[in-house]
Amino acid sequence: MSSTASPSSPSCAPRPRRRRSRGASRRAAPRSRSRPSASSAGGAAADADGRFRLRLPGPGTFTVSVSAVGYAPVQRRVTAGAGETIRLDVDLDAATYEAGAVVVTGTLEQMAVRDSPVKVEVVPARFLETTPSANVMDAVERVNGLYQQIDCGVCYTNNIRINGIDGPNTAVLIDGMPVMSSLATVYGLNGISPMLIKQVEVVKGPMSTLYGSEALGGVINIITKDPSTAPRLSTNVFSTTHAEMAAEFAAVPLRGRTSALVSGTLFHVADYHDNNGDGFSDRPFETRLALFGKATRQDTQGFERASLVAKAYVEDRAAGFEPFLDDVGGLRGSDRVYGESIYTRRAELIGTWTPRPDLTVRASGALHDQDSYYGDVPYAATQADGFGQVVWTPPTEGTALDGHNLLAGAALRAIRYDDGSAATGVYDDAGALVENRPDTRVVPGVFVQDDWRVNERLPLLGGLRADVQPGYGVIPSPRAAVKWRPAEATTARLNVGTGFRVVNLFTEDHAAYTGGRATLILEDLEPERSVSVTGSLQQILGATSPVTVDIDAF
């Protein structure tokens, strides 16, 4: 269930029962006689019967947009006087085109999938619920163009590739905020239970204009459930024939203007099997605990003004010969029996504050600590990331820029990475540390975007970002997109953009690959760059039982 609205209107999203959406009452607050500003926006979620209640910011005329997944949206003009209660009944017709989900990843603004100039793949919650898994990684890889790659055949370290581009080049977001570090595609996805997720949005191709470094290959945005509408209590317990066991819960202890959701996931597998007879376990032993919490705060009119998300992740992973797995604690780091042991501790904190409808302030932090042994070779690393962003969407309705949806912002990222290798230290011939040199960077950036609706069937999108990278100077990242809808059931999109990523040797690569290759750094590493052109054509066939045909090229 989702909602959209014009910039000057509140929005509501009743959930239809069959093809009919029941109406709702709304009362205008008598505290103001002036017409609401063009930037007024908000919404309300409906209950299971399609009923909702929305308090308008004042008397005046509003455009109310009612939408639900799988149904064509309906807009109504509502004029409310001071203290007046209005009842509105709306019938929604089933849609035979892509009109359902509301997405934010492509442009940083809410809009229906069919209206977005950037193609966004949406994985809904009902699809995730069909996958018996304790992490979203297993479900996301079902999206066309995404592939889960196993980077290490022993410890089973994995990542998600988009259109063949390595996982460290994919930006992982939680509720629109970046989860930084090169291992985010592993631990950022493995640590989230599918039962917490409202939907997953995937954009293929460079998105550095909006999200900066790590968005060279694409973006995976995990939209978590709203505590104000999530079930009071959800549980999930399952086991597989590979002796994988998982237990999950999610609860809403607080609901009202301040709502809160908490959850936990425990996953365990310790079943040794060697079907290929190479002496190594076919999959690692693993114990994982993930805790998640989300709190939101609404104003007196029901508009969300602030949210806070916290996530903690603890994992113990081991793989190797069977004797090693029988005594990991005693053999860890020794050369008697080969095995790999990885202890991971990760914490993330994300905050969003909307002091007024056209201004949003976001901040996030992530701390990753890893203590590993690959045989008798140690690898200990820590990475801390801090990220802040301010986004401004100036009102344009009734001005010379009417028809343009402008967005401007500034971002600041701070990074500190340290490990026990030559990447962050100077060592003598005997291997002793002479000087520790953690990689520390502060990266400011600014960006601007214009979503211009030339007409109903032809929106154009243009954007530009400039990041100041220490040692490299200013790195520009432009983008352009066009969507053409010649008919109601036909949609064509074309996107052109550049992406960049500052190379960081963090990840387990240099240790995981030690047995198969040598890594030599012969010169200074410049930022990775890419230029990408992606195109898509969608055709809806049939009316009563529509079939969607998608053709993508990149």
Side-chain angles (χ1 to χ4, degrees):
M1 181 178 60
S2 54
S3 63
T4 57
S6 65
S8 63
S9 66
S11 63
C12 44
R15 178 181 300 153
R17 302 185 68 183
R18 300 194 182 121
R19 296 183 58 179
R20 178 172 176 80
S21 173
R22 300 186 63 182
S25 63
R26 51 183 64 78
R27 182 185 299 273
R31 62 185 182 136
S32 172
R33 289 194 168 273
S34 61
R35 182 170 180 171
S37 67
S39 62
S40 297
D47 61 19
D49 295 323
R51 296 187 296 263
F52 62 90
R53 183 179 180 87
L54 178 63
R55 179 176 291 275
L56 300 177
T61 300
F62 302 87
T63 300
V64 179
S65 177
V66 184
S67 63
V69 175
Y71 292 81
V74 173
Q75 288 191 344
R76 295 284 183 85
R77 297 287 288 180
V78 175
T79 300
E84 181 182 3
T85 297
I86 301 175
R87 180 179 177 86
L88 182 66
D89 291 323
V90 179
D91 289 328
L92 300 181
D93 294 326
T96 58
Y97 49 85
E98 52 154 357
V102 172
V103 296
V104 296
T105 308
T107 62
L108 275 184
E109 293 187 288
Q110 286 193 0
M111 63 178 60
V113 171
R114 69 189 297 264
D115 295 329
S116 175
V118 179
K119 184 173 182 181
V120 182
E121 303 276 357
V122 178
V123 183
R126 62 180 180 273
F127 180 83
L128 298 174
E129 292 168 357
T130 64
T131 303
S133 174
N135 70 76
V136 74
M137 180 84 81
D138 297 330
V140 168
E141 69 168 339
R142 297 190 187 185
V143 177
N144 184 34
L146 271 64
Y147 171 69
Q148 183 179 181
Q149 175 172 300
I150 306 302
D151 286 335
C152 176
V154 180
C155 67
Y156 215 74
T157 298
N158 55 353
N159 70 64
I160 286 286
R161 288 188 167 210
I162 297 182
N163 288 342
I165 298 178
D166 285 339
N169 300 299
T170 298
V172 176
L173 316 177
I174 297 180
D175 292 335
M177 277 299 292
V179 179
M180 297 298 187
S181 86
S182 301
L183 284 183
T185 51
V186 177
Y187 299 102
L189 291 175
N190 282 349
I192 295 183
S193 168
M195 70 188 305
L196 290 173
I197 298 173
K198 176 183 176 182
Q199 65 187 37
V200 179
E201 301 174 8
V202 179
V203 180
K204 305 168 192 173
M207 289 290 290
S208 293
T209 300
L210 292 182
Y211 301 106
S213 184
E214 270 82 47
L216 185 149
V219 171
I220 298 175
N221 189 8
I222 300 169
I223 309 296
T224 58
K225 292 181 178 179
D226 185 349
S228 64
T229 57
R232 281 288 190 179
L233 179 65
S234 302
T235 59
N236 181 29
V237 179
F238 71 86
S239 178
T240 70
T241 56
H242 291 287
E244 298 170 315
M245 294 175 288
E248 307 172 274
F249 83 93
V252 178
L254 192 62
R255 181 171 287 171
R257 286 188 57 193
T258 300
S259 300
L261 182 150
V262 294
S263 76
T265 301
L266 178 63
F267 178 83
H268 176 74
V269 57
D271 181 42
Y272 180 86
H273 53 93
D274 180 19
N275 294 335
N276 59 6
D278 63 354
F280 285 84
S281 58
D282 287 345
R283 69 150 298 156
F285 287 14
E286 184 179 354
T287 300
R288 179 174 73 239
L289 174 64
L291 300 176
F292 179 91
K294 180 178 182 179
T296 60
R297 176 68 175 174
Q298 298 178 344
D299 61 17
T300 56
Q301 300 167 12
F303 305 147
E304 184 177 303
R305 292 303 186 190
S307 68
L308 185 66
V309 173
K311 184 163 77 78
Y313 180 94
V314 179
E315 183 184 67
D316 181 359
R317 183 191 301 235
F321 288 107
E322 187 172 10
F324 176 80
L325 294 173
D326 290 337
D327 185 18
V328 175
L331 296 174
R332 187 176 194 263
S334 73
D335 58 0
R336 287 179 290 168
V337 179
Y338 186 83
E340 300 180 356
S341 173
I342 304 167
Y343 297 156
T344 302
R345 308 291 183 267
R346 183 177 177 89
E348 300 161 10
L349 188 65
I350 300 170
T352 302
W353 177 44
T354 307
R356 60 179 198 241
D358 64 340
L359 185 66
T360 302
V361 182
R362 297 185 175 97
S364 68
L367 179 63
H368 188 100
D369 179 78
Q370 186 167 312
D371 177 12
S372 309
Y373 274 96
Y374 298 87
D376 59 351
V377 178
Y379 175 62
T382 59
Q383 178 163 338
D385 287 271
F387 184 80
Q389 180 176 272
V390 178
V391 178
W392 177 48
T393 54
T396 58
E397 187 175 351
T399 70
L401 295 175
D402 200 348
H404 293 258
N405 293 323
L406 299 179
L407 180 147
L412 182 67
R413 180 181 177 186
I415 313 161
R416 187 184 188 277
Y417 161 67
D418 192 9
D419 69 10
S421 73
T424 61
V426 178
Y427 293 80
D428 60 21
D429 295 338
L433 178 65
V434 176
E435 182 182 358
N436 191 33
R437 296 178 180 176
D439 183 7
T440 303
R441 302 189 202 129
V442 176
V443 183
V446 294
F447 55 92
V448 63
Q449 176 181 274
D450 181 12
D451 182 4
W452 178 29
R453 303 286 158 159
V454 179
N455 55 52
E456 183 181 352
R457 298 187 181 274
L458 184 64
L460 303 177
L461 178 73
L464 177 65
R465 183 188 186 99
D467 283 284
V468 181
Q469 292 280 351
Y472 305 116
V474 178
I475 301 179
S477 301
R479 72 184 298 204
V482 58
K483 181 176 77 73
W484 180 46
R485 194 157 56 99
E488 192 69 16
T490 305
T491 304
R493 292 180 175 90
L494 180 66
N495 294 272
V496 181
T498 67
F500 76 94
R501 175 175 173 261
V502 175
V503 177
N504 191 316
L505 291 182
F506 185 71
T507 74
E508 300 167 350
D509 292 355
H510 76 277
Y513 295 155
T514 297
R517 69 186 75 175
T519 301
L520 299 177
I521 304 173
L522 302 179
E523 59 185 9
D524 292 337
L525 297 176
E526 295 293 330
E528 295 177 342
R529 306 275 301 172
S530 79
V531 178
S532 176
V533 179
T534 61
S536 68
L537 175 64
Q538 182 182 82
Q539 181 66 47
I540 310 296
L541 304 176
T544 56
S545 300
V547 175
T548 302
V549 179
D550 277 300
I551 301 175
D552 294 322
F554 68 94

